[in-house]
Amino acid sequence: MSNLVVVGAQWGDEGKGKVVDFLANTAQVVVRFQGGPNAGHTVYWRSKKYTFHQIPSGLLHRQTRGVIGCGCVIDPYRLNEELAVLSAGRESFFRRVMIDRRAHIILPFHKELDRLHEEQLGEKKIGTTGQGIGPAYQDKFARVGIRAGDLLNEDVFNDKLRRNVAAANFRLMECYKVEPISFKELSTALWKTTRPLVAMIGDGTLFIEKALRGGKRVLFEGAQGTHLDIDLGSYPFVTTSSTVVAGAASGSGISPLWLEEAVGVAKAYTTRVGAGPFPSELPEEEAGRLRELGGEYGATTGRPRRCGWFDAGLVRASVRYNHLSSLILTKLDVLDSFAEIKICVGYRYQGQRLKEFDPFFAQELEPEFITLPGWRESTKTSRSYKDLPLRARRYIAKIADLISCPVALVSVGSSREEIVPVEKEKLKWLK
Ligand code: GDP
Ligand code: IMO
Ligand code: MG
């Protein structure tokens, strides 16, 4: 296989960064196709921690080129910071990443509007990452957004920015009763900030298409997770982009007919940051243990993540929406010390049994659990399937059975080597 889409199969933070870094070993191009700095993808390499927000996570492999696709929204201030951190002491990342000229720009007032909107929602807030994602995509769909390509011409840029600032000021003053922003100050600061990025702007769609045509190995890296998808997720507690496999085509600007394989990433349990339904969520006393063992604090915001048992109904829905041919199960090691482990196998809804998570009725789904015995030994040093404790193998097999999808690999630690093949042959990218 010469291309693979990697998507989160839960509510984000499944360990996509670690998985993409592992799989990018043989990739030539790695593409981010949606979202922006709301993503926080963690990679450990040679004992050093890297957190990717806007740059594709596969780029620690020197042979790779990265694309920030047309479906993304870009915060230029944060992108500069990220590039500077990543480039310190290594060859420049500026030369290895292309920004599609169609990608939209997150402006400082998008962040301000994100914050104010959340404040206004009060108890009903979504719990966004506060990165201005929703307001930036709103402007995109309202057809008034500023795109990366607009940064190439000062007159075009200023003309669009002037109109955007006027519209934003109307909202800031009329809806939220706060101070307006100054066009002049913003224009000067933004122009200066975006200069280092200009050389990176190009036609990402063409670049990706050429790579695919030339038989190069292309990895599409999803951000967030399937159940945060704008259409298929637990709306309105979702992000604003298309986080599923379908988004990989539109967000890269290629035909979906190019896509060959899709793999989902899921944790061996479930987490969620922000508000919204979570049927298998544990009460705080019990969630705390998973949170501490799994280090479940947001990579972007540092917020404590809500924790619960593995929800097979949730991942089963992801298998269907994304047509996944295999799953990579991460953080199995976090369950090493548990005497008993539960799995949510489905739900009761109005006297009926449901096998698949349904976001429409999510608040009313009553989870049904089975309990499996824990293995109570370390899996951290396991490198082959037979190294895993028998009960851990049974846990993995049960999950594969419940979600009707093979588990190709399990991850037993945050570094690249801590990975165990299960049904590896089901992930054709590895052949
Ligand atoms: P992403 O957004 O999907 O890339 O996930 P995050 O990076 O936000 O969160 C996943 C966290 O789990 C990071 O701190 C990773 O270093 C860590 N991690 C990934 N895989 C494993 C694993 O198999 N075991 C353990 N213990 N940690 C892991
Ligand atoms: P990665 O790529 C987990 C959540 C937020 C909030 C909702 C909307 O690291 O898996 P937004 O700022 O996007 O408007 O917030 O989506 N969210 C994430 N949760 N991981 C992420 O990214 C997330 N990106 C957004 O917490 O509930
Ligand atoms: Mg994350």
Side-chain angles (χ1 to χ4, degrees):
M1 286 282 165
S2 69
N3 71 71
L4 172 70
V5 187
V6 180
V7 290
Q10 295 159 321
W11 279 295
D13 301 327
E14 297 92 346
K16 298 176 294 296
K18 157 162 182 174
V19 163
V20 167
D21 171 70
F22 172 79
L23 297 172
N25 184 25
T26 58
Q28 281 142 316
V29 179
V30 189
V31 184
R32 268 286 304 273
F33 53 86
Q34 44 72 227
N38 47 349
H41 298 175
T42 318
V43 178
Y44 281 89
W45 184 56
R46 295 187 173 160
S47 314
K48 208 173 155 208
K49 179 178 171 177
Y50 298 84
T51 311
F52 293 88
H53 297 284
Q54 308 188 74
I55 295 170
S57 308
L59 264 68
L60 292 176
H61 299 277
R62 278 170 186 263
Q63 84 284 357
T64 54
R65 299 281 305 270
V67 180
I68 301 177
C70 58
C72 294
V73 285
I74 299 166
D75 180 332
Y77 297 87
R78 297 214 44 215
L79 184 56
N80 270 331
E81 281 166 22
E82 193 176 338
L83 284 161
V85 171
L86 287 169
S87 302
R90 292 170 59 86
E91 48 69 74
S92 169
F93 273 69
F94 286 81
R95 269 182 279 127
R96 277 213 277 138
V97 184
M98 180 187 276
I99 299 171
D100 191 289
R101 59 167 82 108
R102 302 164 185 85
H104 280 245
I105 303 295
I106 302 173
L107 300 164
F109 59 76
H110 288 136
K111 286 172 92 162
E112 175 80 348
L113 288 168
D114 191 355
R115 189 183 62 76
L116 290 164
H117 182 59
E118 284 280 276
E119 228 172 75
Q120 193 183 50
L121 286 173
E123 297 238 301
K124 293 211 156 46
K125 73 175 180 196
I126 291 159
T128 71
T129 58
Q131 298 300 317
I133 305 295
Y137 276 115
Q138 269 175 7
D139 278 355
K140 166 176 170 167
F141 283 93
R143 297 169 293 184
V144 296
I146 296 184
R147 301 193 288 176
D150 297 329
L151 302 172
L152 303 175
N153 181 318
E154 197 165 5
D155 291 335
V156 172
F157 165 76
N158 273 325
D159 181 45
K160 291 193 176 182
L161 187 67
R162 190 173 282 109
R163 282 185 281 147
N164 271 258
V165 168
N169 278 342
F170 181 77
R171 288 181 67 191
L172 290 170
M173 292 188 295
E174 296 299 318
C175 303
Y176 299 110
K177 315 285 178 221
V178 297
E179 289 295 302
I181 44 169
S182 143
F183 162 75
K184 209 165 168 24
E185 272 172 35
L186 179 58
S187 152
T188 311
L190 204 56
W191 189 253
K192 192 164 156 242
T193 301
T194 51
R195 288 317 87 199
L197 304 175
V198 163
M200 299 164 72
I201 298 168
D203 191 339
T205 73
L206 210 58
F207 182 82
I208 299 165
E209 167 113 13
K210 263 194 192 151
L212 291 166
R213 246 179 230 293
K216 290 205 169 135
R217 285 170 63 80
V218 183
L219 201 56
F220 297 90
E221 173 185 357
Q224 289 78 54
T226 296
H227 297 279
L228 288 171
D229 181 87
I230 184 73
D231 295 301
L232 299 163
S234 39
Y235 191 90
F237 302 102
V238 293
T239 188
T240 340
S241 61
S242 181
T243 63
V244 291
V245 168
S250 58
S252 308
I254 55 151
S255 162
L257 301 178
W258 277 110
L259 303 177
E260 293 173 335
E261 189 180 18
V263 67
V265 184
K267 270 178 206 175
Y269 48 98
T270 313
T271 64
R272 173 161 208 178
V273 275
F278 184 168
S280 69
E281 184 169 20
L282 280 163
E284 184 47 37
E285 318 82 77
E286 292 173 68
R289 181 164 173 213
L290 268 177
R291 185 178 305 121
E292 292 318 309
L293 287 168
E296 296 298 350
Y297 294 89
T300 299
T301 57
R303 290 181 292 177
R305 295 175 182 149
R306 298 158 64 192
C307 297
W309 296 117
F310 186 86
D311 185 342
L314 190 79
V315 178
R316 197 181 167 83
S318 302
V319 171
R320 183 164 72 83
Y321 299 151
N322 295 295
H323 196 45
L324 302 177
S325 46
S326 63
L327 188 83
I328 299 176
L329 196 66
T330 62
K331 303 190 96 162
L332 186 76
D333 55 298
V334 174
L335 299 177
D336 284 351
S337 63
F338 284 78
E340 287 186 333
I341 300 168
K342 291 189 180 175
I343 301 178
C344 169
V345 292
Y347 323 88
R348 279 216 161 258
Y349 172 68
Q350 296 190 343
Q352 284 186 321
R353 279 223 157 91
L354 296 184
K355 269 168 98 174
E356 193 183 289
F357 179 78
D358 187 327
F360 222 89
F361 309 110
Q363 304 281 13
E364 296 153 71
L365 299 179
E366 278 176 49
E368 293 193 317
F369 293 98
I370 55 167
T371 305
L372 273 66
W375 43 94
R376 298 185 99 173
E377 54 181 292
S378 175
T379 54
K380 288 230 25 120
T381 53
S382 300
R383 293 295 173 267
S384 75
Y385 186 56
K386 63 177 177 20
D387 291 344
L388 289 171
L390 181 63
R391 286 174 169 176
R393 284 188 251 163
R394 286 196 180 134
Y395 181 68
I396 298 163
K398 188 75 200 167
I399 284 177
D401 181 40
L402 287 167
I403 64 169
S404 303
C405 178
V407 173
L409 305 168
V410 296
S411 172
V412 291
S414 51
S415 71
R416 212 179 264 176
E417 312 75 52
E418 290 170 310
I419 205 121
V420 181
V422 181
E423 289 194 70
K424 188 179 162 193
E425 66 289 351
K426 294 286 177 358
L427 184 50
K428 297 193 192 76
W429 171 264
L430 292 175
K431 280 191 183 151

